[in-house]
Each structure stands twice: as structure tokens, then as C-alpha cells.
Amino acid sequence: MSTYDLILRNADIATAGDRYTADIGVRDGRICAIAQGLDASAAREIDARGRLVTPGGVDGHCHFDQPTSDGSRFADDFLSGTRSAACGGTTTVLPFAAQQKGRSVQEAVDDYHRRAEGKAVIDYAFHLIVADATRDVTQRELPALIEKGYTSFKIYMTYDDLKLDDRQIIEVLATARRHGAMTMIHAENSDCIAWLTEQLLDAGLTAPRYHSSSRPMAVEREATHRAIALAELVDTPILIVHVSGREAVEQIHWARGRGLPIHAETCPQYLFLSAEDLGIDPDDPMHGARCICSPPPRDKANQQFIWNGLSSGLFTIVSSDHAPFNMNGSDGKRVAGDDASFDRIPNGIPGVETRLPLLMSEGVLKGRIDIHRFVELTATNPARLYGLYPRKGTIAVGSDADFVVWDVFPQGQEKLLSNDMLHHDADYTPYEGMRLRAWPGLTVSRGRVVWQDGVFQAEPGSGQFLPCLRPRAPNDGNPLDKWL
Amino acid sequence: MSTYDLILRNADIATAGDRYTADIGVRDGRICAIAQGLDASAAREIDARGRLVTPGGVDGHCHFDQPTSDGSRFADDFLSGTRSAACGGTTTVLPFAAQQKGRSVQEAVDDYHRRAEGKAVIDYAFHLIVADATRDVTQRELPALIEKGYTSFKIYMTYDDLKLDDRQIIEVLATARRHGAMTMIHAENSDCIAWLTEQLLDAGLTAPRYHSSSRPMAVEREATHRAIALAELVDTPILIVHVSGREAVEQIHWARGRGLPIHAETCPQYLFLSAEDLGIDPDDPMHGARCICSPPPRDKANQQFIWNGLSSGLFTIVSSDHAPFNMNGSDGKRVAGDDASFDRIPNGIPGVETRLPLLMSEGVLKGRIDIHRFVELTATNPARLYGLYPRKGTIAVGSDADFVVWDVFPQGQEKLLSNDMLHHDADYTPYEGMRLRAWPGLTVSRGRVVWQDGVFQAEPGSGQFLPCLRPRAPNDGNPLDKWL
Amino acid sequence: MSTYDLILRNADIATAGDRYTADIGVRDGRICAIAQGLDASAAREIDARGRLVTPGGVDGHCHFDQPTSDGSRFADDFLSGTRSAACGGTTTVLPFAAQQKGRSVQEAVDDYHRRAEGKAVIDYAFHLIVADATRDVTQRELPALIEKGYTSFKIYMTYDDLKLDDRQIIEVLATARRHGAMTMIHAENSDCIAWLTEQLLDAGLTAPRYHSSSRPMAVEREATHRAIALAELVDTPILIVHVSGREAVEQIHWARGRGLPIHAETCPQYLFLSAEDLGIDPDDPMHGARCICSPPPRDKANQQFIWNGLSSGLFTIVSSDHAPFNMNGSDGKRVAGDDASFDRIPNGIPGVETRLPLLMSEGVLKGRIDIHRFVELTATNPARLYGLYPRKGTIAVGSDADFVVWDVFPQGQEKLLSNDMLHHDADYTPYEGMRLRAWPGLTVSRGRVVWQDGVFQAEPGSGQFLPCLRPRAPNDGNPLDKWL
Amino acid sequence: MSTYDLILRNADIATAGDRYTADIGVRDGRICAIAQGLDASAAREIDARGRLVTPGGVDGHCHFDQPTSDGSRFADDFLSGTRSAACGGTTTVLPFAAQQKGRSVQEAVDDYHRRAEGKAVIDYAFHLIVADATRDVTQRELPALIEKGYTSFKIYMTYDDLKLDDRQIIEVLATARRHGAMTMIHAENSDCIAWLTEQLLDAGLTAPRYHSSSRPMAVEREATHRAIALAELVDTPILIVHVSGREAVEQIHWARGRGLPIHAETCPQYLFLSAEDLGIDPDDPMHGARCICSPPPRDKANQQFIWNGLSSGLFTIVSSDHAPFNMNGSDGKRVAGDDASFDRIPNGIPGVETRLPLLMSEGVLKGRIDIHRFVELTATNPARLYGLYPRKGTIAVGSDADFVVWDVFPQGQEKLLSNDMLHHDADYTPYEGMRLRAWPGLTVSRGRVVWQDGVFQAEPGSGQFLPCLRPRAPNDGNPLDKWL
Ligand SMILES: [Zn+2]
Ligand SMILES: [Zn+2]
Ligand SMILES: [Zn+2]
Ligand SMILES: [Zn+2]
Ligand SMILES: [Zn+2]
Ligand SMILES: [Zn+2]
Ligand SMILES: [Zn+2]
Ligand SMILES: [Zn+2]
């Protein structure tokens, strides 16, 4: 009779493709057997009878302990950030190693390893933010880093210290194509935002809610269209990150219909927040600051379009874009003072812990998406997109034993979400007061129980760095072929 | 140590969601365990080392032994039809029990059971063709039949003896909504076809290739738009069957983008044939008859749009629409004579056996779709759509042991497809001469090896009838809600 | 020195193409000269210095004295109807001669001539409503009537006593193509409306505002798409009448972009009324009845789309669809009683007199459309579309002397519209209380002053019947050509 | 009895809005009377009985004597250029005063006046090319120049010495909005072209036909979308110049449908040339150079879309984009040598003389557009768009006496177009050999006969400079309003 380190019995397993009841046998951190009535013993057995079990979440977009240039500080480092993730059912995170202009990418990678080591409690990989796309970077550094397991880049079309111009974007895309990497694009038109911001400030419209007016949908739509065109030109897949509303969705839809491999990500803020959240408390001008992120949340009709994109298959992934700043204190949202104009308030909101429970509650349990789509969006697809599959993102023989056993609350017995429940170091959650239908009861990471019955129980530094595979084959062919 | 009836060792398993290597343990026709180095013995063990294993195909649309009104005869009955399916890797078929105008649906169901019993070699379920949507049918018969496991209907917008008018379509859709059934719609505008056919015949344009001119894309597009509108009105999902080209795809795309649950099917003929195939042999006027089906194959640009729809996620399923008529003899394509006008040539082409190998060769192995999408389109999604999941359509613990072990031929060593290789009773295949990169080496149905190393080995009648589950929950709510 | 019957001096003339100041010399009802300082005398001279002069309106869609089948009575006959038109600046009307099922079209034409003769005070032509598209009608009657000057047809996709099925529509379109006529289509899906109405009545939702719910946008969009497809098939232009909102506009937009000659009409009710107008007075359940027409007015976002269609060039014409029923009395809106369900309330609203002033006020004077577009939409295009150009629809040498001299009221001195001001026989206007920026000060029809300074002054019967030219060349070619 | 300088008798006059037969009386260069049987005498009378008369063409986009930076020379100066225009029926041209980077716009204006004076034989106005959008230019120079009658700007999204970045474009648009000017945008993505060109040259693909591959449709589509977004942001109209194919048309269509005031221009090269024309003569590698212009001519399907855009109303104007370089000699197309790579061949083709005759022949006389649309596209709309209306662009009382009397050749008696017939100084026409159905028989400019019966007869310098009106009212409002 086989012996395992852990057996999860009678699990109601849901993956991107399947739903069935079985026992899961885990050895050395991996799933070795899935069977009805697994004829084996284990050091530890857990009975999951009647409980839903899904793959541990893969959060393809989150920011921990990232350096800033305005004196602000991210509320979470790799310890509190990954702890928060684990308690919310996520077992893999992909934060960013962000190159600084004038510096090498490798420096950023080294710096990030230092920040993560001894802290991360779940497994992690790094995306590379390419902020200075010199010839040396695109021709030498990136290919070398891809070889070492850094196979995805994020590039920006806005933010002065990060943005690339069209030619630089093309060069990064061409590198991605040649070496089999994946490129994520933050799509907002920088010049438009700058001009609108100037107009708003000139007009004295400085409150947080004008953040929205400074980045209207048209600005995101334009950049989305442009990103698609550049990818079409170079003939390589891209992912548009944090898509916020209808007009951007329509651009991606159009591209997809023509056979272009354009992937799209959305985030909880575009499903659960709206522009109103940037300015609801008339007595507290800073109140809206808590929901400032870019692109900004849109209106309800746009929210509905984002939901449609989840059910229709348009979106490839749902990530948190966790970027936490404290409301209190002087190194968070208030870094430029209590009455700072909207453009001086740090962008970003926390969400790594609430991503899965909110989507399970509002998506699956309200019937907007099915459980397979949930798993696909939150675990399987991000793992595939970034070269972590099949090790991560599913429950299957041979995969890492990363999974979540869910507590589901009956209608009428929902749990109210409050920041007290959460394990990040941010002092608020923008989703305070939402009614939860589900929360992870148990999170297992590589066979280790890291969260159970309300208790977090992993050692700092027990998470491992994951070198990523190439998401697809390198392509040495001539990218011009389609235009000749 | 467990014992099994069958163990498939070292299988390179691909499902809609996963890809991994493991052993599969089968008992009583079901999969009981999936494990690395399954510690068990079995009556029969097969080593699949290094070979791709996918779920047995589910063909959601095929016609066997269906009565006709013009003296023609389907070339395949349930024996030859299911045999052909099995040899091509398909383990579940869903043919149609077709109501005749003025008769009950139950009569058709009884008749079809008689035709299938003692013949079918793999498992089968029935769609109901509703040709006479009387109040009694929609209010009494269909609900009763849904209860008994007939949970999907096909309805027609063309063909004089089958077509429903818009009001009748609405009534069928309302029944489907109320009782949780799925409706398939053949979308072509009947009056347009009739008028165009009359014009063509008046002008002496009678050759097979004018079949195309009598059913242009606009005719399919119009009916597709109308079907979508009716489903939107009634607020219930539908599946548009055999979508042939760009303009219909665009309609579905538009609907999907607005959040409407419109599913779509395409078939091999729209991926591999084109309008040219209806008239390529100038010496043989009947030659084009072999490719007459409705809607007709379109041009190459339309083919590309259908391929795009496979990769983009637009299509839910790929079915064969197997409807075989012999080219020789007087009860097939020539039933109205050797020089019959196009409108008197039976519609339909064989394809139940070639569906999976062609899509594997041209789709997966040429890189147009990935293996997960292949499984989803050909097995998992049809099973889900028609209430056969999770029993059918996947490789998972608890599911029927239906799977295919593939022979894959290296580039340059492709196999030429010829009708000799096939196991249907039709005397031709429209795909004669295509280069195959893969063919099922082994087909297992409920644990029984039915096709191995070129030998078919199942008993007539060994296939079982499958009562279908409701594809989704009945909805008693007011369909008007969205319009108030 | 020339002598004229009438000279209009110093007119600020605006036509579809031009804007200039000149004198207009009229002789025998026609414009003979346009000049600066016209060196001539006239029996009557009018100085228009500083006043805007536009061509007399051509109302391409209005109903006078039309027989009904439910006991109701149109509030206007040809006398009050054309009087109302003239006082509102319209000098040509095109009402309908409506065939009854089982009767010939000629009968309707004869009947309508009787109704118009001795009554009409401005010129008129007839559209033919084809309600029974028999072979005799399409092959013999319509060609003969086209020859006699009845060159446009209206056909219906809804209303039990009027609607044609797709095949009949095709036959009418083929006749129009062959003989150079124009076809107007009322596009709403009959079966959908019938089913929705049944659901609403079953649910006890009978108030006027449910009229809207019984004919949602999707129902109009579907029929619009279908009408376009049929016209595309037959290869002939059509006009979609009374387009009400975004989804129908998008269909026409799409068609136009592909080069299809699809014309579109909208009406004041889709620019100035909205769904709310069907149910604003909670104390008077019948209040909403005053705005019941089909398609129903939509919401504000749809209104905006209709305005966009005026400025973008999408719409070809703006007509009144004047169809007046009294609110008081028992032969108007209340014909089925004071608490009749919405489906038993006569459809239609008055508007022949307010069409031009409202569009001038809200369109031109608020800057939404320019004066040329105003003239094009309300006079030149309808005249062209229906074969009355260049005799009607413009101010040009050789054309009939039909024109309007406008009184324009400064901002802040708008005139409140009230039914008292109007010259129809209906007892209300749905536009009561709107603020008018302009009203015709003078209307001239064939050189006769028919309305001046608030006084109507034409003899009953002084209007002439206008035989229409063919709007375009007959086309004997094969309509199949594009599909071969 | 009045006396006139010129009377044109019995003219079959067609304008944007009208068609009628009348006499035209001209005094002091202006039209004073239009009448049937004009009761007057004149110094000169011309009988136009039975001949079509249209307004003199307004060419809204042509280049004469423009400085270059590569040693090449425009083949036409203001004398040969305007002579060629006049002989082809054009009576007003709008060439460009092109600012050089680092210089003021006023300098360019002064320079251009010097180039035009004493040479131009027909009237002319100047667009301003803004190549250096400094604060001084947008805040001071442009407003001052608008005041003086330079009310339209052209800006470029490509060409190193001309292109503006997005922020600069926004500043120019904001100036246009504030002061009532019109902005023309050359929409192609510069970085994309640079990268593609580099790839092509690296691959040794240097022949003229690769010019096409270096500027594919996607590059124009992207820039078109971006230009629309910037105009939407600033809330001001723009004109997209020289639109070449479907994907750009679709962007404009989409914008127009949403109510955005986006105008579009196309040119003869996109109606009559195709990509094939860039490389048809295998023996002469430079042959394709004659058709090199940007954007490049596309394929036949794109041509059809451009024609659709003419008939559907999408395009506002048709201009020549006359930019002539000689094929022979060393200062034209061969300036970089006989085997120069495509990127070193001057961009542009001649066409100011053939614009009207080709569009009359292929558009009006082949039934693709009607005569009113012809006049609108080639004369009335460009005059309106650029503030020259009503002085130019129509035949109306008070307008300049600019008109064309047409010779129309019966089918079968077409005239073959050859460069010998033309009056420019370029040594070829790309339209050599096309069959002409019409050519101007007489051109009248401000009452002067400048071209008659094959004889050109105007004095150098007899053309006048035209200060332009503001195309619309200045808008001081807050452009942010729509985003708040
Ligand atoms: Zn971002
Ligand atoms: Zn981020
Ligand atoms: Zn079918
Ligand atoms: Zn079928
Ligand atoms: Zn109607
Ligand atoms: Zn009507
Ligand atoms: Zn240009
Ligand atoms: Zn140019």
C-alpha cells in the first residue's frame, strides 16, 4: 500500500476542465494520485467531504515592496503580501522586478530576490518591468534573463518614469517573439493624461474624483488599439492588463475576431468598484483616495461589460493588481499631504487576499460564471500564460499540491468583509462591507497546510522562487511575412 | 492492492484543462484512479508510453438512418454509423429523433430507439427535432420528454417539412427556458432560398455548384441574427449549428459581446472544403454533388474566419453533421437522376470518422489550436452542452472510461486519407487525399477496447442509450423582466 | 422689363446646397429667376429682408383619412391635414393609398383620390401600401401604377391586416427593382410583438406604458436586419421608415458601410419623446395613450443616437408619420374604452404641422445640424427619394414656387407650443409646452400665399395631385448576378 | 435691361443640391442672376445648351513648389500647377505653407506668398503645415494667422521633419477649437514605418513595391484611431486626409456613428490605383516609383471600400494630393539614384488636372455616385470645410463665377488619357491610358474664361489670394466638460 504525506479525502474537485469527487494523494509536495477511495495511508489525512476544492490561485499581477519615487511606501512586503495571498487562497504570485531608467534589468532582478528571500511564504516568480528598452536590454539582457526563467515583461504606455515610446514597445515585442516570452502592456495614453491633468488642475478640479476625468475611457481605448496594432505588426501575442470598460473590451473583441492573439486581464476593481467610489464622502475630501488606481473604475454599464467579458470568454485572466498604500500615516495615500491634488496621490489598491473570495461569491455563486471559468481565470490561465503550467494552476497528477478547500456560506448567512479579517499590512480594503458567500477554509501550498480554520501557519521564507518556462516556442521567422 | 479491469499505463493525458502523464485505472467501465505508477494490477494493461491520450470524442450532431421524403436513403444506420465513429475516436454520438409534421415527438423517439437498439456499438443520446411545434408538443410532450432524458431540441428555419415560423421558435425556446433544455437552431432563411432557387432554375443554372448561389452567406447571416434576437427575447441560451462563415460569425460575436448566451457549432466542411469543391470536375456534372450540404462551404477567406473562431473561443463545439449519401446507386446523391438540378440532390456529407483526425492534424499539429481547445471543442463542451457531462467528455475520476490513444505520424510521413480506410457505409469521403498527421490507434468505450491497431472489435448493440441531464436549471421566472 | 406674378425680395435663401441673399421671381407657380436686385416688377412683392427662406417642406410619410378596422377614426382628413401641413411650412405631402387584403391596389388609389379631391390645399402624391402581394399585384398592377405616377410602396413586417411574409417582401422588392420604384419598410417583427403582448396581458400589465415593453428595440433591430438582407438579396434600395434607436441605426450603418443602398427615415417622436412619455401621469392611466405609436419612443440614450444619425448623414429623411387620433371622444385613442389594454389603443400621433418648426428650433438653432442638412432632410431628399424632384424640394429656377419665410424668435423669447396654435383637427399635441425658436411666417405653395402672419388662406381643393417620376432607372438585369 | 459681363445660356446646372436649366448672368466676377431666358445682354455670351455645368473644382489638398530636404524638386510651381488645375476644371486650390522646424509659421507664409505671386492663374488659399508646435506657435502665431485668413492646419503623425507627438497634436487641436480653425491630419504611425522599413532594408527588400509593405493598412488604421481619440478628447472636428482603405474607413465610420465630427478625405490614387501599380514592370525596377505615395494604394477590395465611402456619405471631400516629381532627370523620383531603395524615393504623384475628369468618368457616368455628390465632394464641401464658402464651391447668386462646362463623350468614344494632354510640368501621369468619358470644355474663373476648346488663356498672376473665413465659431468653453 502506497504512503503519502497528505491525503485529501472526498474532495469535490473543480478544475478548468473537470468536476468530480475523489481523494487526492500528495507526496513530496506534488499530487501523485487522484482516485475514488484511495487505497493508501498518509502522514496527514483531511476529510473534505461535501466541500469544494479548487486549484490554489495564481495571481498574475501584484506589487510587493516595490520602490517608489515620491516618498511613498507599499504597505506590503513579501511576507505580509504572500501571507495575505495565502489566506485568500492564492498559492502563487507574480510580482514585478522593475528596471529603473539608466539601470540594468538584472539589477532589478537581484534587488527583488533580496526582497523576497526569507520572506515569501508561498511560491513566486517575477515579471520584468522594462522601463529602459535600450538595444543592450532587448538584444542581450532580456534573452539571457528569459533563459534563466524570467519569461514575461510588463511595459507601460504611461507614467513618466516607466513609459516606452512606440518604437521601444516594438523592440520589446520583437524580443518576446524571437525568444518565446510574453508581454503585458499597461495601455493608457500618456500625453492625453498629462494634458487632461493640466486642464483639471488649472481649473482647480483637484479632488480625488477628478482622477477619473484625467483618464477617461477614450484614453485607455486609444492605447489599447495602439498596443494591438503594434502586436499585430510584430506578429506576437500580448496581454492587455487591467482592462476597465466597454471601449477597451470592444477593441480586444475586434482583434480576437480577426484571429489576433490578444489576451486580456481584468481586476476586481473593475467588477466591484465604480467611479462613484472615488468621491462618495463629501465630508472627507481624501476619502476617494482609497479607490484611486489606474485605469480608474468606470460606471455601472462598464462594469456589466467587464462581467460579460468574463462569461463570454474574452478575458484570459483575473488578477488582483494588488498595490497597497495606507490611508493613515504619511507614507501612503497622503504622502503629498491631506489635500493633495489627485495626481499626487499614489495609485493602487490592495486586493491580493480578496480576489478569489469575491469572484467566487459574486461570480460563481451568483451564477455569472461557472466554476470551471473561475478556475481558468484565476489559476490555470495565468499559470499557462506565464510558463508555470502544469506545475501550477491546476489539480492534476504531477502538479504541485496547491489547492483550496472552500467554506461556502448559505444565502442569508453571508459574512461581511472587513479589513480586520485580512492579513495584508494595508489599513483598509476598498471592499469593506461586501457580503461574502465563500472564503477559503484551507489553503495547501506544495502539500503544506498554510492556512486552516482561520489560522495562518507558514514559515517566512518557505515560499520558493519559480523559474518560468517559455510560454511558447521562440519564433525566428521573419515578422514581416504577413505584410509582404 | 487494488485491482482494475483495465490499466492504461504512462499515458500522456490531455483534457480540456490539463496535460500530465499518469496511469489510468478503470473498473466497471469507469475511471477510478489516475496516478503516477498506479500501485495496482488489472485484467488488462496497456502501455501508452509517449502516446497522447484524449477523451473519447462526443459528436454532438450526426444523422444515422433518418427517414427521408424524397426516396433517398442515408448510407449509414446505427451499426455502420457508430462503428465509423468508434474507429475515428468518437465514443458518444447524438443523432436526431425527428418528429414528422402531424405526428407526435414520442413516436419519433420510439422509432429511433428501435433503429438504434441492437446496432449501436458506442453510447448514444437523442436530440429531438421539433418539426410541428403545436401547443400540445411545447406544453406537454417536450416537458415530459425532458424529464425522461431528451433534453435538447433541434429546430429549423428552412426545409419545408421541418421549418418553424418565428412564433413557433419562440414557443420552443420558452419551453427550453422553463424546463432547462438546450435548443439547436439551423439558421438559413427559407423564403430567400426558395426565391433564389426559383431564379436559378428559371435561368437554367442547375448544376451542383449553384447550390451555393441559392444559399449565400447573407441568407445564413439573416437567420442567425433572427435566431439570436428570438433567444434574446425569450432570455434563453441557444446553439447555432453548422456556422459556415464570416458574416454569421460576426453576428454571434456581437451577441456574445453583449452578454447573450449564444453558442455556436462549426463542422469540418467549413474548415476543409470550399465553394470550389462543388464544381471542380468539368467532365462530371454530378461531381460537385458530393460536397452539397447546407449551409454550403464558402470561400477561403470565410474558412479563415472559421479557424479564427476556433482559436478565439467563439465556437463552443465542432461536430461532424455526418449525413451520408452514396454517390453511386440510385438512392443516394443521384436519387433524382444523374442530371438532377441542385435542389433535388440530397443534402449532406459523411464525416463522423474523420472529424477528430482531421482537426488533430490540421488544427493541433499545425499549431492553429492547442490540445486543450481540441478536447473542449470535440468532447468536453458537447458533453456539457447536452447534459452528458461529467459522465462523458473528459478523462477524470468518476467519468466513463472513454478515451483515445493517438498514433501521430511525423511530418513527411503523413498518411493519405482514402475512403478505403473508413468504416462507414458511404462510398466516398469528401476529404479523399488529405494528408493525415494523426489517427486513433486505440479507442476505449466504457472500458471496452473497440478499436485497436486497425481492428474494430465491438458487438452490435453493445452501445448504451444515455438519458441526458438538463444542461441547466429550469427557469420559472418571467422572461419579460428584461423588457419591462 | 420682365413681369412676374410674385417677387420675394432680399430673401436669405437656404437650400440643401446653398445659402445666399437674392430676389426670387415667380411666374405661373414656378420660380423663373433668382437674382440680386431683380430688375422686374410683379403683381405682388414681398420683402423678406433679413429673413430666412427655405424650400417648402415635403412630408414623405403622413396618414390622412385612412380607413381603420377597429372603429377608430383618423382625426384629420385631407382638408384639415393639408391645412395643418401648410401652416407648419410643408407644401407637399405623401400620404398612403392602402390596399386591403383581398382587394386590388387600384381600388385603394381610386378611393384615396376621392378622399383628397376638393379638400387638399397643398400638393400631394400617394405611396401605395401593398398589403396583399399576390402575383397579379406584383406582376401587373404595380407596374401599371408605377407607369401612372405611383412610384413608391410601403410594406409592413407587422400588423395582422398589413404584414407580408419574407417571400412576399422579396416579390415586392423585385418589382421595385425591375420598374424603378422605391420601397419603404415598416420593420418590426410581428411574431415577437404578438408573443410579448400575450405575456404582458397574461401578467396583467395592460397600461399604456407596456406598449413599449411589447415592442422592445430588439424587435425593431431584428426586422431591420432582415429587411436589409432581403434588399441585399434582391439588389435594390429600400427605405427603413421611422427608425427609433441605436440598435436599428447600427444595422443601417453596417449596411451602408458595405455599400448597400439602405435609406433611413426618422420622425419627431424619436427626437423629442421618450418611453417615459408613455406613462408619466399616475392619476390618469390613459395619459400615456397620447404617445402610443410604433415603434415606441425609446430612452434618452437612444434619442441621442437618432440625433447623431441626423448630423452624421445616416438618415436620409425626417418625416412626421402624422397619424392623429383624438384623446377625447370615443372614436380616437379611447375607441376600446377608457381602460383598454395598450394593444387596443390606436397607434399614432399628430405631427405634420410641428415637424419643421421643432426641427428648426431644436436642430438648427441649437447647433445640432446645419441649415443645409435641415433642408435636405425635410424637403430635398424626400422629393428625390419619391420622384418629385426637381419640381419639389428646393428653391431653384424651374422648380415650383414652394417656400417658407421663417419667423425666428430670439433666445429667451421662445414661443410655447400649444395645441391651440395648430390647425389639425386632433385635440392634442404630444409636444405641448415645448419652447419654439422659430415658426413659419409665410408659406407659399406654387406661388400662392397659403399661410401668412397667422392667417391660413387657401381654397379647399386647390392642392394638386402629383404623379411621381421613377426615383431611378428600371433594372432589367439579373438580380442573381452578385451571388453567382 | 440689365447688362452683364458674361451670360452663360441654357446651362444644365448641377450643384450639391440642385439640377436645373437656366441662364447665368455674371458681373464683376460674380454671379448676379440665374434665370430662365435671362432678359439681358452681355459683353460675352456663351451657349451651353445641352451641356452639363458644375461649380469650378476646389482642390483642398495639393502641393506646389514646396521646399524639400533631399535635393528633389516638385515638378510644378504655382504657374504650371494652377494652369494644370484650371485645364482640369479646378478654379480654387489650397496648397500648403509649410513651417520648418525651428522657424516661425509666418516665415513659411511669407515665402509661399512670394512663390505664388505673379504666377497663380486661379484663386488660392493656404493651409498651414505646423511642424513645430511650440507654445509660441499655438498660443500666439496661429491665432494671429487665423485672424488674417489662414484658418486650416495640416499636421503629420509621420515624416521625421514634420511629425508632431500626441501632446503637440493636442495643443494644435486645442488652438483650432478655441479659434474656430480646421485641422487636417496625416495619419500613419511613424515608429511602425521606421521599424518596418529597417526590417525590409535589412532583408534586402528595397524595390519600390516594398514601399507598400513598409506602410501596411494597420499602420494607417492605428494612427487614424489615435487621431480620432485626440480629437474626441479635445472636442473639436478634424479631417483625416488621404484615407486609403477599409480599416481606416471603419474607424471613421465608428466615430461618426457615435456623433464625433470626424471628416475624411480620399484621393484619386485610392480609387484608381492599387498596390500592384507599385511593381508591375519586372524589367524596370524604378517603374513602380511613379506610384509611390503615402499612404500607398491598397488592393482592389480596399478600393471598393473607398468607393462605398463616397456613395455612403462617409467621405467629406475628394482632393488630388497633387505632389509631382519627374520620372526622368535627377531631381525627381530618381534623386537618390536609379536603384535607390524605396525609402529614398520622393513620395507623391501628380493629379490636380485629372481629379475631376476621372471622378466624373468613373464615378458619375458609371453610376457609382450621383452628380450632386460629385459637386459636394469636389467643390462645395472643401469650400465649406476651409472657410471659402459661399464665395467658392457652388453656382449661386452672389458666389464667384467659377464654373465648368463639360464635354461628355458617348460610350465607345472615350478619350484615352495621356500625359501629352495635360498641362502640368510633370513628365508622366499615373493614370496614362485610362478611358475618359468626360473632360472640361470650358473653365471660367471669376468670370474669366481660362480654358476653352483646348486652349489655356489666363495671365500668370491673375489668380488671387483668398483669405479664409473661420470654418466655424470659436469655442471658448471648457473642453473638459464631456469628461467631468
Ligand atoms: Zn498597470
Ligand atoms: Zn499593476
Ligand atoms: Zn442543419
Ligand atoms: Zn445536420
Ligand atoms: Zn409604420
Ligand atoms: Zn406611418
Ligand atoms: Zn499627407
Ligand atoms: Zn499631401
Side-chain angles (χ1 to χ4, degrees), chain C residues 2 16-22 32-36 39 253 256-259 305 308 312 372 380 384 389-390 394 396-398, chain D residues 2 16-20 22 32-36 39 253 256-259 305 308 312 372 380 384 389-390 394-398:
Chain C
S2 307
D18 288 306
R19 182 84 183 253
Y20 56 92
T21 297
C32 295
I34 299 176
Q36 288 178 333
D39 186 13
H253 221 72
R256 207 75 74 75
R258 297 179 66 227
F305 252 80
N308 291 351
S312 76
H372 306 291
T380 316
R384 278 201 191 125
Y389 183 89
T394 190
V397 168
Chain D
S2 308
D18 288 305
R19 181 84 182 253
Y20 56 92
C32 295
I34 299 176
Q36 288 177 333
D39 187 12
H253 220 71
R256 208 75 75 74
R258 298 180 66 228
F305 252 80
N308 290 352
S312 76
H372 306 292
T380 317
R384 278 201 190 126
Y389 183 88
T394 189
I395 293 173
V397 167

Side-chain angles (χ1 to χ4, degrees), chain A residues 42-368:
Chain A
R44 182 169 186 179
E45 298 213 0
I46 298 173
D47 192 2
R49 185 173 305 270
R51 294 171 76 191
L52 176 66
V53 178
T54 59
V58 177
D59 196 337
H61 183 163
C62 51
H63 305 264
F64 300 143
D65 197 13
Q66 201 168 296
T68 68
S69 54
D70 62 355
S72 68
R73 199 181 55 78
F74 275 73
D76 286 310
D77 66 4
F78 275 81
L79 175 51
S80 64
T82 56
R83 179 183 66 204
S84 183
C87 300
T90 288
T91 52
T92 305
V93 288
L94 287 112
F96 299 87
Q99 179 195 21
Q100 288 172 43
K101 293 226 194 246
R103 314 289 282 268
S104 74
V105 183
Q106 183 67 53
E107 277 179 89
V109 169
D110 294 343
D111 177 39
Y112 267 69
H113 274 292
R114 281 189 298 270
R115 291 168 190 261
E117 264 155 44
K119 293 202 168 168
V121 301
I122 55 170
D123 298 348
Y124 57 95
F126 293 144
H127 301 297
L128 307 176
I129 289 177
V130 182
D132 203 356
T134 60
R135 195 161 188 78
D136 183 60
V137 165
T138 59
Q139 305 291 75
R140 190 190 57 79
E141 260 211 303
L142 292 180
L145 284 161
I146 290 168
E147 202 66 41
K148 293 191 216 157
Y150 307 87
T151 62
S152 49
F153 323 141
K154 185 179 181 190
I155 57 181
Y156 288 81
M157 298 171 86
T158 189
Y159 297 130
D160 286 343
D161 48 349
L162 293 170
K163 73 179 173 191
L164 304 187
D165 66 26
D166 290 358
R167 180 60 191 261
Q168 292 166 323
I169 294 172
I170 291 173
E171 297 294 349
V172 172
L173 293 176
T175 298
R177 182 183 192 272
R178 205 175 312 114
H179 298 279
M182 170 59 58
T183 309
M184 308 158 77
I185 304 188
H186 178 129
E188 289 185 297
N189 183 304
S190 185
D191 283 2
C192 292
I193 294 167
W195 181 77
L196 284 167
T197 300
E198 201 176 296
Q199 304 302 307
L200 286 160
L201 298 183
D202 282 359
L205 305 172
T206 61
R209 66 192 177 89
Y210 295 108
H211 174 68
S212 248
S213 307
S214 74
R215 315 176 93 98
M217 194 74 236
V219 162
E220 181 184 348
R221 181 196 80 225
E222 186 285 315
T224 303
H225 186 99
R226 185 151 40 101
I228 290 169
L230 301 179
E232 182 184 4
L233 211 73
V234 177
D235 184 29
T236 197
I238 55 170
L239 175 94
I240 309 286
V241 293
H242 42 52
V243 172
S244 76
R246 174 175 181 155
E247 294 188 8
V249 163
E250 287 176 341
Q251 295 299 324
I252 296 163
H253 221 74
W254 172 88
R256 208 76 74 74
R258 299 179 65 228
L260 301 175
I262 308 298
H263 296 286
E265 172 197 85
T266 194
C267 309
Q269 44 270 43
Y270 309 113
L271 294 165
F272 306 118
L273 301 179
S274 78
E276 292 168 15
D277 293 307
L278 270 72
I280 38 180
D281 186 343
D283 296 331
D284 175 4
M286 271 305 275
H287 188 270
R290 69 186 56 215
C291 293
I292 283 189
C293 58
S294 294
R298 312 288 178 185
D299 66 15
K300 298 284 177 189
N302 277 293
Q303 261 188 20
Q304 185 55 50
F305 253 80
I306 299 296
W307 279 108
N308 290 351
L310 294 189
S311 58
S312 76
L314 184 95
F315 285 108
T316 311
I317 65 174
V318 173
S319 309
S320 70
D321 198 2
H322 182 77
F325 294 94
N326 284 326
M327 282 299 293
N328 299 313
S330 62
D331 61 356
K333 291 283 187 181
R334 294 176 199 270
V335 68
D338 281 3
D339 52 1
S341 58
F342 65 85
D343 59 312
R344 300 172 66 211
I345 298 171
N347 272 233
I349 58 177
V352 74
E353 190 166 355
T354 45
R355 180 180 69 118
L356 295 182
L358 285 176
L359 193 60
M360 179 64 83
S361 296
E362 295 290 316
V364 179
L365 297 169
K366 289 202 172 159
R368 287 158 163 162

